[in-house]
Each structure stands twice: as structure tokens, then as C-alpha cells.
Amino acid sequence: MVNKGLRKLSCALAMAACLMGTAAPAVHAATSDYTFTVSSNAALNTDTISKRTMKADSEQAYYATATGFDGRGTIYVHSRKLDETVSSTEVDLRSGSLNTTKKGTYNKYAAYNAYYYLKARFGASADGNHLTVVGRYTP
């Protein structure tokens, strides 16, 4: 009889321990800051690639946000896997839409726990033939 009571108690304690450990750990996507300097003359581009960033989840999308422009204009960006085997749709970042997060999708399966980077190109500028843009990128 004592063994049966101890068995019930140990089962109850084991179940309580399991229930406490079932909360899934929070997964946070890696985000990096970027600064792009792009020109209407591609030969004059000085900085069109972001820092490599680890993709931390299996979502088949990336996010780019422009937080500052040195003039009025548009740049286009897309995400690429570091080994160049995966690319994505292109999104536009506009000076008139600061702090608006744009979402692009990958053209084939984008594995997590791999490095990606954001590639930029000049779109248009009302203030000359180049733009410098700062923002955030989440692969």
C-alpha cells in the first residue's frame, strides 16, 4: 500500500515537472543594421551589401526597414543566402515611408541557421544621383 502511494506521488511530481518544462523557448529572429550607399552609376556604388545575418526561423520571408535617407528617393533590396543558392523577391524602400517594414519572399526554400545578406540597388532620387540609406534587416 505504501509503494502504491509513493508511486502515485512520484508520478504526480514527474507530471508536474514535465508540464513546467513544456513552455517553448522564445525564438527571436536575428536582425542587423545596414547602411547602403548606392548610385545611379553602378560603378560608383560604395556599399550595397549588408552584414551577414543568421536566419533564425523557418519563415520563408525576410523583412527590411529603412530608418533614414540622406535625400528623397527609392532603393530596391533583396535577400540572398551567403552561398548564393537562394535569392528573393525585391522590395522598394522609399524615403517617404521611413520606418515602414517591407516583406519579401524567398524564391526557394530558405534554410534557417544559415547566413543571409541584403543586397541593394539604386532606384531613383529627387536630390541627385546617389542615396545613402540606413535601416534594419531580418532574413
Side-chain angles (χ1 to χ4, degrees), residues 20-68:
M20 284 188 229
T22 59
V27 175
H28 299 286
T31 299
S32 62
D33 295 329
Y34 64 78
T35 301
F36 296 132
T37 301
V38 293
S39 172
S40 59
N41 179 349
L44 300 177
N45 285 338
T46 57
D47 189 7
T48 62
I49 297 175
S50 73
K51 175 174 98 169
R52 68 182 186 169
T53 307
M54 179 72 71
K55 181 166 181 53
D57 60 32
S58 61
E59 182 181 9
Q60 296 302 295
Y62 72 96
Y63 299 88
T65 306
T67 58

Side-chain angles (χ1 to χ4, degrees), residues 49-55 78-88 106-118 137 139:
I49 297 175
S50 73
K51 175 174 98 169
R52 68 182 186 169
T53 307
M54 179 72 71
K55 181 166 181 53
H78 68 277
S79 183
R80 290 183 178 177
K81 191 173 179 189
L82 192 60
D83 67 5
E84 302 289 329
T85 59
V86 178
S87 190
S88 69
Y106 290 100
N107 61 4
K108 64 182 194 177
Y109 181 73
Y112 60 93
N113 290 333
Y115 284 106
Y116 293 76
Y117 67 93
L118 196 62
Y137 161 62

